[in-house]
Amino acid sequence: MADGGDGSGDADGTGHDRVAPEDGVAPEDGVAPEDIVLERIEAFRRRRPKLRDDFINSAHGAGGKASAALIDAVFLEAFRNPTLETMADGAVLTLPSGERLAFSTDSYVVKPARFPGGSIGHLAVHGTVNDLSMMGARPQWLSAGFILEDGFSIEELRDIVADMREAAVAAGVEIVTGDTKVVNKGAGDGVYINTAGVGLIPEGVRLDPSLVQPGDKVLVSGKIGDHGVAVLIARGDLALEADIPSDTAPLNGLVETLLAAAPNTRFLRDPTRGGVATVCNELARAAEVSVVLQESAIPVRNIVNGACEILGIDPLYVANEGRLVAVVPPGEADAALAAMRAHPVGADAAVIGEIRDDPPGIVILNTHFGGNRIVDMLVGDPLPRIC
């Protein structure tokens, strides 16, 4: 669906974006022409992406610029309300009693359905538990909806459901309602699962990008990229044999530990589709701050780095299913790091960066070689069907 044009791109009918005077920077006396051009380019780069496609493609589900454009132009346009506009991992709702709850939903289409370290059943529980946890909630109840293809093995379905039961018990949640639909042979890919969940937010817990301040520290709870590469190897897309299990895990226990040690934690997000890079970009834009990452501090397995080099992608963009990114005040960073490392899911936690006030809306990576580069939002879908 085309966006109909906003006067700032594709007005020449070429299908390509262009930088136009109305992108927010007007020529001024005494300003060098090259500076004006650079400011226009920067204003254009930071502009919310527009939907210019007529048909859905895999990039619309990758969590990057294409996903943001689709959500803005179709879903947000139709359903717009103050709760939805926060664009968080879930909705925070206040009950008449004053209690707050978090409500979240997600769908799982991973291929193959079983991979080292987990299955679509584990993902379906962990994903929604983690989305609720990122809102500061204690997950309580889940629903489970199954879309099954005619001919799918009952034995395999039993195994997947057993994985869901195992994951729910480990996370301390109950699956209390559900639904089943069957589609014709060839109309699906075996099994897709949707889960929704509800959790209660303890009094005093508030997580929001607007709370993030310059000087705050950025932490990640473990090595990044394991899940995406594990699924890719299981799929046989790489000529590699490596024992890399997915990082899929429930994060509610880790979040409780973190919030107890660092009660003024500002922001949490699990870096699933689009990886750490997308989370940091969304944070930078929402909080109007700069996120400065230190490449040498970001924990990545050598084999994951090697696989990413073969594919020509950055581990910062690879999906994770059992990691979180946290922003905490500088005075609580040491306590937060120690608490995370003491938890089994956060043993490889690290401080990977800092919040600064300038340039706002930008993620910068200080590289191994002493330089720095901008880490932009994900473009395209380098690893489809991995969650």
Side-chain angles (χ1 to χ4, degrees):
M1 179 178 179
D3 66 349
D6 60 357
S8 58
D10 199 25
D12 55 2
T14 62
H16 299 288
D17 295 331
R18 63 181 175 83
V19 180
E22 59 270 35
D23 282 323
V25 180
E28 296 179 7
D29 292 340
V31 179
E34 56 269 31
D35 289 340
I36 294 174
V37 172
L38 289 173
E39 286 188 42
R40 286 176 177 172
I41 291 173
E42 182 55 28
F44 175 78
R45 196 192 69 80
R46 291 171 54 189
R47 194 178 57 193
R48 192 79 180 169
K50 299 290 185 181
L51 182 65
R52 304 186 187 285
D53 301 305
D54 293 314
F55 300 96
I56 294 294
N57 60 63
S58 62
H60 292 123
K65 286 186 175 181
S67 295
L70 180 71
I71 292 168
D72 265 4
V74 178
F75 303 118
L76 199 54
E77 184 67 21
F79 306 140
R80 187 179 300 278
N81 61 66
T83 303
L84 186 61
E85 286 177 344
T86 63
M87 300 295 288
D89 277 345
V92 175
L93 307 171
T94 303
L95 301 176
S97 63
E99 284 187 296
R100 293 177 302 149
L101 60 82
F103 176 40
S104 185
T105 185
D106 209 335
S107 300
Y108 303 88
V109 297
V110 63
K111 184 180 182 180
R114 190 166 296 279
F115 45 82
S119 73
I120 191 172
H122 292 113
L123 286 184
V125 173
H126 294 160
T128 295
V129 165
N130 294 346
D131 283 346
L132 294 170
S133 301
M134 297 307 108
M135 309 300 295
R138 292 172 176 159
Q140 304 283 319
W141 306 284
L142 267 59
S143 70
F146 296 84
I147 298 177
L148 306 170
E149 183 182 357
D150 186 351
F152 189 67
S153 163
I154 293 291
E155 182 178 358
E156 189 170 355
L157 180 60
R158 287 186 189 277
D159 289 342
I160 289 170
V161 170
D163 290 342
M164 294 181 71
R165 182 185 60 219
E166 175 188 86
V169 169
V173 298
E174 290 183 294
I175 298 174
V176 294
T177 187
D179 181 57
T180 304
K181 296 288 188 297
V182 177
V183 297
N184 293 338
K185 186 179 286 294
D189 200 5
V191 55
Y192 302 141
I193 303 175
N194 172 274
T195 52
V198 175
L200 301 177
I201 302 176
E203 189 175 349
V205 173
R206 186 177 173 222
L207 302 167
D208 195 293
S210 65
L211 302 174
V212 171
Q213 299 176 16
D216 288 348
K217 302 299 182 184
V218 182
L219 291 80
V220 67
S221 64
K223 293 182 170 65
I224 65 170
D226 288 4
H227 175 73
V229 172
V231 173
L232 207 62
I233 291 176
R235 198 183 289 170
D237 289 350
L238 290 177
L240 285 176
E241 291 187 7
D243 184 19
I244 303 178
S246 165
D247 55 48
T248 182
L251 294 172
N252 49 334
L254 179 65
V255 168
E256 288 206 31
T257 299
L258 170 62
L259 294 180
N264 293 303
T265 296
R266 322 276 200 198
F267 171 85
L268 294 175
R269 187 65 58 86
D270 52 339
T272 52
R273 294 175 310 166
V276 171
T278 297
V279 165
C280 290
N281 268 281
E282 291 174 348
L283 170 62
R285 296 182 188 204
E288 278 297 296
V289 296
S290 174
V291 179
V292 180
L293 301 175
Q294 303 297 328
E295 187 173 29
S296 60
I298 299 172
V300 190
R301 297 182 198 278
N302 289 336
I303 185 65
V304 171
N305 257 329
C308 289
E309 286 180 5
I310 292 172
L311 293 166
I313 59 176
D314 189 331
L316 283 169
Y317 293 99
V318 178
N320 313 270
E321 291 293 338
R323 303 286 184 252
L324 65 80
V325 173
V327 178
V328 303
E332 296 183 359
D334 288 343
L337 184 62
M340 291 170 74
R341 287 179 171 174
H343 193 280
V345 181
D348 295 313
V351 177
I352 63 170
E354 184 176 282
I355 303 298
R356 296 182 186 170
D357 57 3
D358 187 64
I362 301 294
V363 179
I364 296 173
L365 181 72
N366 289 338
T367 70
H368 289 299
F369 304 105
N372 56 67
R373 65 177 172 87
I374 291 176
V375 178
D376 204 355
M377 287 279 283
L378 176 67
V379 176
D381 186 8
L383 302 176
R385 302 281 301 278
I386 56 176
C387 51

